[in-house]
PDB file of all heavy atoms in Angstrom:
ATOM      1  N   CYS B  82       3.452  -6.536  -1.631  1.00 98.00           N
ATOM      2  CA  CYS B  82       4.810  -6.496  -1.451  1.00 98.00           C
ATOM      3  C   CYS B  82       5.498  -5.971  -2.788  1.00 98.00           C
ATOM      4  O   CYS B  82       6.460  -5.165  -2.667  1.00 98.00           O
ATOM      5  CB  CYS B  82       5.375  -7.876  -1.062  1.00 98.00           C
ATOM      6  SG  CYS B  82       7.167  -8.063  -0.899  1.00 98.00           S
ATOM      7  N   MET B  83       5.026  -6.388  -3.890  1.00 98.00           N
ATOM      8  CA  MET B  83       5.593  -6.098  -5.169  1.00 98.00           C
ATOM      9  C   MET B  83       5.357  -4.604  -5.519  1.00 98.00           C
ATOM     10  O   MET B  83       6.286  -3.796  -5.881  1.00 98.00           O
ATOM     11  CB  MET B  83       5.048  -6.963  -6.325  1.00 98.00           C
ATOM     12  CG  MET B  83       5.629  -8.320  -6.244  1.00 98.00           C
ATOM     13  SD  MET B  83       7.451  -8.585  -6.085  1.00 98.00           S
ATOM     14  CE  MET B  83       7.952  -7.631  -7.678  1.00 98.00           C
ATOM     15  N   VAL B  84       4.076  -4.078  -5.187  1.00 98.00           N
ATOM     16  CA  VAL B  84       3.801  -2.730  -5.432  1.00 98.00           C
ATOM     17  C   VAL B  84       4.664  -1.913  -4.490  1.00 98.00           C
ATOM     18  O   VAL B  84       5.155  -0.831  -4.942  1.00 98.00           O
ATOM     19  CB  VAL B  84       2.334  -2.549  -5.095  1.00 98.00           C
ATOM     20  CG1 VAL B  84       2.023  -0.884  -5.006  1.00 98.00           C
ATOM     21  CG2 VAL B  84       1.431  -3.131  -6.080  1.00 98.00           C
ATOM     22  N   ALA B  85       4.902  -2.358  -3.339  1.00 98.00           N
ATOM     23  CA  ALA B  85       5.891  -1.677  -2.421  1.00 98.00           C
ATOM     24  C   ALA B  85       7.249  -1.727  -3.001  1.00 98.00           C
ATOM     25  O   ALA B  85       7.928  -0.641  -2.926  1.00 98.00           O
ATOM     26  CB  ALA B  85       5.908  -2.342  -1.174  1.00 98.00           C
ATOM     27  N   LYS B  86       7.748  -2.789  -3.593  1.00 98.00           N
ATOM     28  CA  LYS B  86       8.945  -2.687  -4.123  1.00 98.00           C
ATOM     29  C   LYS B  86       9.096  -1.632  -5.312  1.00 98.00           C
ATOM     30  O   LYS B  86       9.961  -0.930  -5.353  1.00 98.00           O
ATOM     31  CB  LYS B  86       9.373  -4.070  -4.731  1.00 98.00           C
ATOM     32  CG  LYS B  86      10.847  -4.187  -5.084  1.00 98.00           C
ATOM     33  CD  LYS B  86      11.143  -5.181  -6.106  1.00 98.00           C
ATOM     34  CE  LYS B  86      12.539  -4.879  -6.777  1.00 98.00           C
ATOM     35  NZ  LYS B  86      12.918  -5.601  -7.799  1.00 98.00           N
ATOM     36  N   TRP B  87       8.062  -1.575  -6.082  1.00 98.00           N
ATOM     37  CA  TRP B  87       8.089  -0.707  -7.298  1.00 98.00           C
ATOM     38  C   TRP B  87       8.045   0.660  -6.809  1.00 98.00           C
ATOM     39  O   TRP B  87       8.595   1.680  -7.466  1.00 98.00           O
ATOM     40  CB  TRP B  87       6.895  -1.070  -8.233  1.00 98.00           C
ATOM     41  CG  TRP B  87       7.088  -2.345  -8.889  1.00 98.00           C
ATOM     42  CD1 TRP B  87       8.244  -2.946  -9.346  1.00 98.00           C
ATOM     43  CD2 TRP B  87       5.987  -3.388  -9.008  1.00 98.00           C
ATOM     44  NE1 TRP B  87       7.888  -4.267  -9.894  1.00 98.00           N
ATOM     45  CE2 TRP B  87       6.588  -4.438  -9.743  1.00 98.00           C
ATOM     46  CE3 TRP B  87       4.606  -3.361  -8.994  1.00 98.00           C
ATOM     47  CZ2 TRP B  87       5.933  -5.677 -10.132  1.00 98.00           C
ATOM     48  CZ3 TRP B  87       3.892  -4.381  -9.282  1.00 98.00           C
ATOM     49  CH2 TRP B  87       4.535  -5.438  -9.865  1.00 98.00           C
ATOM     50  N   ASN B  88       7.420   0.992  -5.749  1.00 98.00           N
ATOM     51  CA  ASN B  88       7.374   2.241  -5.116  1.00 98.00           C
ATOM     52  C   ASN B  88       8.428   2.607  -4.051  1.00 98.00           C
ATOM     53  O   ASN B  88       8.352   3.633  -3.336  1.00 98.00           O
ATOM     54  CB  ASN B  88       5.957   2.618  -4.506  1.00 98.00           C
ATOM     55  CG  ASN B  88       4.934   2.737  -5.661  1.00 98.00           C
ATOM     56  OD1 ASN B  88       5.210   3.230  -6.648  1.00 98.00           O
ATOM     57  ND2 ASN B  88       3.581   2.380  -5.174  1.00 98.00           N
ATOM     58  N   ALA B  89       9.364   1.854  -4.027  1.00 97.00           N
ATOM     59  CA  ALA B  89      10.612   1.819  -3.103  1.00 97.00           C
ATOM     60  C   ALA B  89      10.066   2.112  -1.702  1.00 97.00           C
ATOM     61  O   ALA B  89      10.590   2.975  -0.919  1.00 97.00           O
ATOM     62  CB  ALA B  89      11.524   3.148  -3.651  1.00 97.00           C
ATOM     63  N   CYS B  90       9.136   1.376  -1.235  1.00 97.00           N
ATOM     64  CA  CYS B  90       8.713   1.375   0.150  1.00 97.00           C
ATOM     65  C   CYS B  90       9.239   0.203   0.975  1.00 97.00           C
ATOM     66  O   CYS B  90       8.681  -0.841   0.957  1.00 97.00           O
ATOM     67  CB  CYS B  90       7.242   1.464   0.305  1.00 97.00           C
ATOM     68  SG  CYS B  90       6.611   1.683   1.966  1.00 97.00           S
ATOM     69  N   ALA B  91      10.312   0.441   1.686  1.00 97.00           N
ATOM     70  CA  ALA B  91      11.031  -0.726   2.391  1.00 97.00           C
ATOM     71  C   ALA B  91      10.074  -1.226   3.513  1.00 97.00           C
ATOM     72  O   ALA B  91      10.078  -2.511   3.663  1.00 97.00           O
ATOM     73  CB  ALA B  91      12.335  -0.287   2.945  1.00 97.00           C
ATOM     74  N   PHE B  92       9.401  -0.391   4.068  1.00 96.00           N
ATOM     75  CA  PHE B  92       8.467  -0.822   5.215  1.00 96.00           C
ATOM     76  C   PHE B  92       7.473  -1.753   4.753  1.00 96.00           C
ATOM     77  O   PHE B  92       7.224  -2.881   5.174  1.00 96.00           O
ATOM     78  CB  PHE B  92       7.811   0.401   5.860  1.00 96.00           C
ATOM     79  CG  PHE B  92       6.817   0.057   6.922  1.00 96.00           C
ATOM     80  CD1 PHE B  92       7.145   0.138   8.189  1.00 96.00           C
ATOM     81  CD2 PHE B  92       5.472  -0.255   6.657  1.00 96.00           C
ATOM     82  CE1 PHE B  92       6.280  -0.239   9.285  1.00 96.00           C
ATOM     83  CE2 PHE B  92       4.629  -0.623   7.536  1.00 96.00           C
ATOM     84  CZ  PHE B  92       4.972  -0.659   8.853  1.00 96.00           C
ATOM     85  N   CYS B  93       6.808  -1.471   3.547  1.00 97.00           N
ATOM     86  CA  CYS B  93       5.621  -2.266   3.086  1.00 97.00           C
ATOM     87  C   CYS B  93       6.309  -3.651   2.437  1.00 97.00           C
ATOM     88  O   CYS B  93       5.702  -4.635   2.585  1.00 97.00           O
ATOM     89  CB  CYS B  93       4.867  -1.494   2.116  1.00 97.00           C
ATOM     90  SG  CYS B  93       3.802  -0.382   2.966  1.00 97.00           S
ATOM     91  N   VAL B  94       7.476  -3.467   1.871  1.00 97.00           N
ATOM     92  CA  VAL B  94       8.173  -4.739   1.365  1.00 97.00           C
ATOM     93  C   VAL B  94       8.230  -5.740   2.511  1.00 97.00           C
ATOM     94  O   VAL B  94       7.953  -6.898   2.481  1.00 97.00           O
ATOM     95  CB  VAL B  94       9.411  -4.425   0.609  1.00 97.00           C
ATOM     96  CG1 VAL B  94      10.214  -5.820   0.411  1.00 97.00           C
ATOM     97  CG2 VAL B  94       9.203  -3.687  -0.715  1.00 97.00           C
ATOM     98  N   GLY B  95       8.913  -5.138   3.644  1.00 96.00           N
ATOM     99  CA  GLY B  95       9.020  -6.010   4.814  1.00 96.00           C
ATOM    100  C   GLY B  95       7.797  -6.614   5.443  1.00 96.00           C
ATOM    101  O   GLY B  95       7.697  -7.713   5.624  1.00 96.00           O
ATOM    102  N   ALA B  96       6.678  -5.650   5.535  1.00 96.00           N
ATOM    103  CA  ALA B  96       5.586  -6.027   6.225  1.00 96.00           C
ATOM    104  C   ALA B  96       4.861  -7.042   5.480  1.00 96.00           C
ATOM    105  O   ALA B  96       4.340  -8.152   5.971  1.00 96.00           O
ATOM    106  CB  ALA B  96       4.607  -4.864   6.532  1.00 96.00           C
ATOM    107  N   HIS B  97       4.653  -6.671   4.154  1.00 97.00           N
ATOM    108  CA  HIS B  97       3.824  -7.735   3.333  1.00 97.00           C
ATOM    109  C   HIS B  97       4.540  -8.913   2.881  1.00 97.00           C
ATOM    110  O   HIS B  97       3.967  -9.948   2.679  1.00 97.00           O
ATOM    111  CB  HIS B  97       3.115  -6.904   2.255  1.00 97.00           C
ATOM    112  CG  HIS B  97       2.218  -5.750   2.943  1.00 97.00           C
ATOM    113  ND1 HIS B  97       0.959  -6.206   3.416  1.00 97.00           N
ATOM    114  CD2 HIS B  97       2.447  -4.542   3.129  1.00 97.00           C
ATOM    115  CE1 HIS B  97       0.537  -5.047   4.028  1.00 97.00           C
ATOM    116  NE2 HIS B  97       1.348  -4.164   3.858  1.00 97.00           N
ATOM    117  N   GLY B  98       5.853  -8.822   2.608  1.00 96.00           N
ATOM    118  CA  GLY B  98       6.630 -10.067   2.376  1.00 96.00           C
ATOM    119  C   GLY B  98       6.519 -10.980   3.545  1.00 96.00           C
ATOM    120  O   GLY B  98       6.522 -12.207   3.338  1.00 96.00           O
ATOM    121  N   ALA B  99       6.621 -10.472   4.749  1.00 96.00           N
ATOM    122  CA  ALA B  99       6.575 -11.325   5.976  1.00 96.00           C
ATOM    123  C   ALA B  99       5.232 -12.081   5.993  1.00 96.00           C
ATOM    124  O   ALA B  99       5.254 -13.237   6.452  1.00 96.00           O
ATOM    125  CB  ALA B  99       6.717 -10.448   7.175  1.00 96.00           C
ATOM    126  N   ILE B 100       4.176 -11.396   5.678  1.00 96.00           N
ATOM    127  CA  ILE B 100       2.853 -12.080   5.714  1.00 96.00           C
ATOM    128  C   ILE B 100       2.694 -13.120   4.711  1.00 96.00           C
ATOM    129  O   ILE B 100       2.279 -14.260   4.849  1.00 96.00           O
ATOM    130  CB  ILE B 100       1.606 -11.120   5.536  1.00 96.00           C
ATOM    131  CG1 ILE B 100       1.822  -9.974   6.708  1.00 96.00           C
ATOM    132  CG2 ILE B 100       0.306 -11.768   5.677  1.00 96.00           C
ATOM    133  CD1 ILE B 100       0.700  -8.801   6.423  1.00 96.00           C
ATOM    134  N   ALA B 101       3.206 -12.773   3.389  1.00 96.00           N
ATOM    135  CA  ALA B 101       3.150 -13.661   2.291  1.00 96.00           C
ATOM    136  C   ALA B 101       3.983 -14.948   2.681  1.00 96.00           C
ATOM    137  O   ALA B 101       3.677 -16.053   2.294  1.00 96.00           O
ATOM    138  CB  ALA B 101       3.630 -13.118   1.024  1.00 96.00           C
ATOM    139  N   ALA B 102       5.038 -14.772   3.264  1.00 96.00           N
ATOM    140  CA  ALA B 102       5.954 -15.774   3.619  1.00 96.00           C
ATOM    141  C   ALA B 102       5.565 -16.850   4.689  1.00 96.00           C
ATOM    142  O   ALA B 102       6.057 -17.987   4.815  1.00 96.00           O
ATOM    143  CB  ALA B 102       7.390 -15.195   4.172  1.00 96.00           C
ATOM    144  N   LYS B 103       4.413 -16.464   5.353  1.00 94.00           N
ATOM    145  CA  LYS B 103       3.760 -17.263   6.247  1.00 94.00           C
ATOM    146  C   LYS B 103       3.188 -18.470   5.528  1.00 94.00           C
ATOM    147  O   LYS B 103       2.973 -19.528   6.169  1.00 94.00           O
ATOM    148  CB  LYS B 103       2.622 -16.630   7.165  1.00 94.00           C
ATOM    149  CG  LYS B 103       3.245 -15.537   8.052  1.00 94.00           C
ATOM    150  CD  LYS B 103       3.980 -16.189   9.222  1.00 94.00           C
ATOM    151  CE  LYS B 103       4.510 -15.216  10.282  1.00 94.00           C
ATOM    152  NZ  LYS B 103       5.319 -15.888  11.136  1.00 94.00           N
ATOM    153  N   ASP B 104       2.851 -18.338   4.308  1.00 94.00           N
ATOM    154  CA  ASP B 104       2.144 -19.340   3.518  1.00 94.00           C
ATOM    155  C   ASP B 104       3.019 -19.827   2.324  1.00 94.00           C
ATOM    156  O   ASP B 104       3.334 -20.984   2.194  1.00 94.00           O
ATOM    157  CB  ASP B 104       0.855 -18.885   2.942  1.00 94.00           C
ATOM    158  CG  ASP B 104       0.006 -20.025   2.302  1.00 94.00           C
ATOM    159  OD1 ASP B 104       0.208 -21.121   2.692  1.00 94.00           O
ATOM    160  OD2 ASP B 104      -0.768 -19.728   1.464  1.00 94.00           O
ATOM    161  N   MET B 105       3.465 -18.808   1.473  1.00 93.00           N
ATOM    162  CA  MET B 105       4.474 -19.202   0.468  1.00 93.00           C
ATOM    163  C   MET B 105       5.929 -19.200   1.237  1.00 93.00           C
ATOM    164  O   MET B 105       6.053 -18.767   2.228  1.00 93.00           O
ATOM    165  CB  MET B 105       4.465 -18.122  -0.565  1.00 93.00           C
ATOM    166  CG  MET B 105       3.171 -17.882  -1.115  1.00 93.00           C
ATOM    167  SD  MET B 105       3.031 -16.357  -2.170  1.00 93.00           S
ATOM    168  CE  MET B 105       3.397 -16.929  -3.731  1.00 93.00           C
ATOM    169  N   GLN B 106       6.804 -19.837   0.632  1.00 91.00           N
ATOM    170  CA  GLN B 106       8.070 -20.070   1.174  1.00 91.00           C
ATOM    171  C   GLN B 106       8.959 -18.584   1.147  1.00 91.00           C
ATOM    172  O   GLN B 106       8.827 -18.071   0.036  1.00 91.00           O
ATOM    173  CB  GLN B 106       8.951 -21.111   0.611  1.00 91.00           C
ATOM    174  CG  GLN B 106       8.262 -22.586   0.865  1.00 91.00           C
ATOM    175  CD  GLN B 106       8.925 -23.689  -0.019  1.00 91.00           C
ATOM    176  OE1 GLN B 106      10.048 -23.386  -0.499  1.00 91.00           O
ATOM    177  NE2 GLN B 106       8.176 -24.696  -0.224  1.00 91.00           N
ATOM    178  N   ARG B 107       9.723 -18.347   2.229  1.00 94.00           N
ATOM    179  CA  ARG B 107      10.552 -17.217   2.174  1.00 94.00           C
ATOM    180  C   ARG B 107      11.388 -17.067   0.892  1.00 94.00           C
ATOM    181  O   ARG B 107      11.496 -15.956   0.343  1.00 94.00           O
ATOM    182  CB  ARG B 107      11.365 -17.169   3.485  1.00 94.00           C
ATOM    183  CG  ARG B 107      12.212 -15.765   3.680  1.00 94.00           C
ATOM    184  CD  ARG B 107      11.168 -14.646   4.160  1.00 94.00           C
ATOM    185  NE  ARG B 107      11.363 -13.569   3.257  1.00 94.00           N
ATOM    186  CZ  ARG B 107      10.821 -12.526   3.439  1.00 94.00           C
ATOM    187  NH1 ARG B 107       9.957 -12.285   4.420  1.00 94.00           N
ATOM    188  NH2 ARG B 107      10.797 -11.429   2.585  1.00 94.00           N
ATOM    189  N   PRO B 108      12.093 -18.180   0.369  1.00 96.00           N
ATOM    190  CA  PRO B 108      12.915 -17.984  -0.653  1.00 96.00           C
ATOM    191  C   PRO B 108      12.226 -17.589  -1.884  1.00 96.00           C
ATOM    192  O   PRO B 108      12.645 -16.843  -2.774  1.00 96.00           O
ATOM    193  CB  PRO B 108      13.597 -19.359  -0.971  1.00 96.00           C
ATOM    194  CG  PRO B 108      13.448 -19.992   0.527  1.00 96.00           C
ATOM    195  CD  PRO B 108      12.258 -19.525   1.321  1.00 96.00           C
ATOM    196  N   VAL B 109      10.948 -17.888  -2.103  1.00 96.00           N
ATOM    197  CA  VAL B 109      10.072 -17.697  -3.077  1.00 96.00           C
ATOM    198  C   VAL B 109       9.748 -16.099  -3.177  1.00 96.00           C
ATOM    199  O   VAL B 109       9.718 -15.595  -4.186  1.00 96.00           O
ATOM    200  CB  VAL B 109       8.702 -18.483  -3.107  1.00 96.00           C
ATOM    201  CG1 VAL B 109       7.630 -17.973  -4.302  1.00 96.00           C
ATOM    202  CG2 VAL B 109       9.119 -19.949  -3.403  1.00 96.00           C
ATOM    203  N   ILE B 110       9.393 -15.722  -1.881  1.00 96.00           N
ATOM    204  CA  ILE B 110       9.087 -14.208  -1.793  1.00 96.00           C
ATOM    205  C   ILE B 110      10.451 -13.400  -2.202  1.00 96.00           C
ATOM    206  O   ILE B 110      10.267 -12.400  -2.912  1.00 96.00           O
ATOM    207  CB  ILE B 110       8.723 -13.871  -0.258  1.00 96.00           C
ATOM    208  CG1 ILE B 110       7.607 -14.776   0.261  1.00 96.00           C
ATOM    209  CG2 ILE B 110       8.445 -12.529  -0.146  1.00 96.00           C
ATOM    210  CD1 ILE B 110       6.397 -14.680  -0.676  1.00 96.00           C
ATOM    211  N   ASP B 111      11.562 -13.757  -1.676  1.00 96.00           N
ATOM    212  CA  ASP B 111      12.759 -13.123  -2.060  1.00 96.00           C
ATOM    213  C   ASP B 111      13.112 -13.216  -3.522  1.00 96.00           C
ATOM    214  O   ASP B 111      13.540 -12.232  -4.176  1.00 96.00           O
ATOM    215  CB  ASP B 111      13.884 -13.833  -1.258  1.00 96.00           C
ATOM    216  CG  ASP B 111      13.750 -13.472   0.212  1.00 96.00           C
ATOM    217  OD1 ASP B 111      13.061 -12.673   0.573  1.00 96.00           O
ATOM    218  OD2 ASP B 111      14.528 -14.146   1.017  1.00 96.00           O
ATOM    219  N   GLU B 112      12.765 -14.341  -4.187  1.00 96.00           N
ATOM    220  CA  GLU B 112      12.981 -14.471  -5.570  1.00 96.00           C
ATOM    221  C   GLU B 112      12.072 -13.513  -6.338  1.00 96.00           C
ATOM    222  O   GLU B 112      12.554 -12.873  -7.306  1.00 96.00           O
ATOM    223  CB  GLU B 112      12.601 -15.863  -6.083  1.00 96.00           C
ATOM    224  CG  GLU B 112      13.566 -16.967  -6.230  1.00 96.00           C
ATOM    225  CD  GLU B 112      13.046 -18.341  -6.428  1.00 96.00           C
ATOM    226  OE1 GLU B 112      11.964 -18.336  -7.316  1.00 96.00           O
ATOM    227  OE2 GLU B 112      13.376 -19.339  -5.897  1.00 96.00           O
ATOM    228  N   ALA B 113      10.741 -13.547  -5.852  1.00 97.00           N
ATOM    229  CA  ALA B 113       9.798 -12.601  -6.571  1.00 97.00           C
ATOM    230  C   ALA B 113      10.334 -10.979  -6.482  1.00 97.00           C
ATOM    231  O   ALA B 113      10.219 -10.417  -7.426  1.00 97.00           O
ATOM    232  CB  ALA B 113       8.404 -12.811  -5.984  1.00 97.00           C
ATOM    233  N   THR B 114      10.760 -10.869  -5.244  1.00 96.00           N
ATOM    234  CA  THR B 114      11.021  -9.258  -5.141  1.00 96.00           C
ATOM    235  C   THR B 114      12.342  -9.008  -5.840  1.00 96.00           C
ATOM    236  O   THR B 114      12.506  -7.913  -6.401  1.00 96.00           O
ATOM    237  CB  THR B 114      11.348  -8.864  -3.646  1.00 96.00           C
ATOM    238  OG1 THR B 114      12.154  -9.681  -3.005  1.00 96.00           O
ATOM    239  CG2 THR B 114      10.024  -8.894  -2.924  1.00 96.00           C
ATOM    240  N   SER B 115      13.179 -10.058  -6.202  1.00 96.00           N
ATOM    241  CA  SER B 115      14.349  -9.786  -6.900  1.00 96.00           C
ATOM    242  C   SER B 115      13.987  -9.829  -8.361  1.00 96.00           C
ATOM    243  O   SER B 115      14.577  -8.963  -9.097  1.00 96.00           O
ATOM    244  CB  SER B 115      15.333 -10.934  -6.585  1.00 96.00           C
ATOM    245  OG  SER B 115      16.420 -10.903  -7.408  1.00 96.00           O
ATOM    246  N   ASN B 116      13.296 -10.843  -8.891  1.00 97.00           N
ATOM    247  CA  ASN B 116      12.802 -10.793 -10.242  1.00 97.00           C
ATOM    248  C   ASN B 116      11.621 -11.789 -10.473  1.00 97.00           C
ATOM    249  O   ASN B 116      11.751 -12.932 -10.413  1.00 97.00           O
ATOM    250  CB  ASN B 116      13.971 -11.452 -11.232  1.00 97.00           C
ATOM    251  CG  ASN B 116      13.594 -11.419 -12.630  1.00 97.00           C
ATOM    252  OD1 ASN B 116      12.346 -11.086 -13.052  1.00 97.00           O
ATOM    253  ND2 ASN B 116      14.592 -11.492 -13.610  1.00 97.00           N
ATOM    254  N   PHE B 117      10.397 -11.244 -10.431  1.00 97.00           N
ATOM    255  CA  PHE B 117       9.236 -11.930 -10.345  1.00 97.00           C
ATOM    256  C   PHE B 117       9.032 -12.814 -11.557  1.00 97.00           C
ATOM    257  O   PHE B 117       8.368 -13.772 -11.691  1.00 97.00           O
ATOM    258  CB  PHE B 117       8.003 -11.142  -9.982  1.00 97.00           C
ATOM    259  CG  PHE B 117       7.553 -10.306 -11.269  1.00 97.00           C
ATOM    260  CD1 PHE B 117       6.550 -10.738 -12.067  1.00 97.00           C
ATOM    261  CD2 PHE B 117       7.890  -8.863 -11.362  1.00 97.00           C
ATOM    262  CE1 PHE B 117       6.040  -9.938 -13.144  1.00 97.00           C
ATOM    263  CE2 PHE B 117       7.516  -8.112 -12.376  1.00 97.00           C
ATOM    264  CZ  PHE B 117       6.602  -8.621 -13.227  1.00 97.00           C
ATOM    265  N   ARG B 118       9.686 -12.225 -12.696  1.00 97.00           N
ATOM    266  CA  ARG B 118       9.491 -12.957 -14.070  1.00 97.00           C
ATOM    267  C   ARG B 118      10.141 -14.422 -13.972  1.00 97.00           C
ATOM    268  O   ARG B 118       9.600 -15.271 -14.652  1.00 97.00           O
ATOM    269  CB  ARG B 118      10.058 -12.144 -15.184  1.00 97.00           C
ATOM    270  CG  ARG B 118       9.170 -10.989 -15.543  1.00 97.00           C
ATOM    271  CD  ARG B 118      10.085 -10.031 -16.461  1.00 97.00           C
ATOM    272  NE  ARG B 118       9.308  -8.984 -16.919  1.00 97.00           N
ATOM    273  CZ  ARG B 118       8.932  -7.830 -16.222  1.00 97.00           C
ATOM    274  NH1 ARG B 118       9.567  -7.689 -15.035  1.00 97.00           N
ATOM    275  NH2 ARG B 118       8.204  -6.904 -16.681  1.00 97.00           N
ATOM    276  N   THR B 119      11.125 -14.558 -13.148  1.00 96.00           N
ATOM    277  CA  THR B 119      11.755 -15.887 -13.080  1.00 96.00           C
ATOM    278  C   THR B 119      11.522 -16.608 -11.738  1.00 96.00           C
ATOM    279  O   THR B 119      11.852 -17.782 -11.606  1.00 96.00           O
ATOM    280  CB  THR B 119      13.265 -15.861 -13.255  1.00 96.00           C
ATOM    281  OG1 THR B 119      13.744 -14.892 -12.276  1.00 96.00           O
ATOM    282  CG2 THR B 119      13.567 -15.100 -14.703  1.00 96.00           C
TER     283      THR B 119
END
Side-chain angles (χ1 to χ4, degrees):
Chain B
C82 177
M83 292 305 300
V84 171
K86 190 207 161 184
W87 295 322
N88 284 331
C90 182
F92 178 93
C93 288
V94 169
H97 299 284
I100 305 169
K103 292 287 179 187
D104 188 28
M105 302 168 93
Q106 293 167 20
R107 185 78 238 180
V109 171
I110 307 303
D111 292 342
E112 270 176 35
T114 51
S115 172
N116 185 351
F117 74 89
R118 286 169 174 80
T119 57

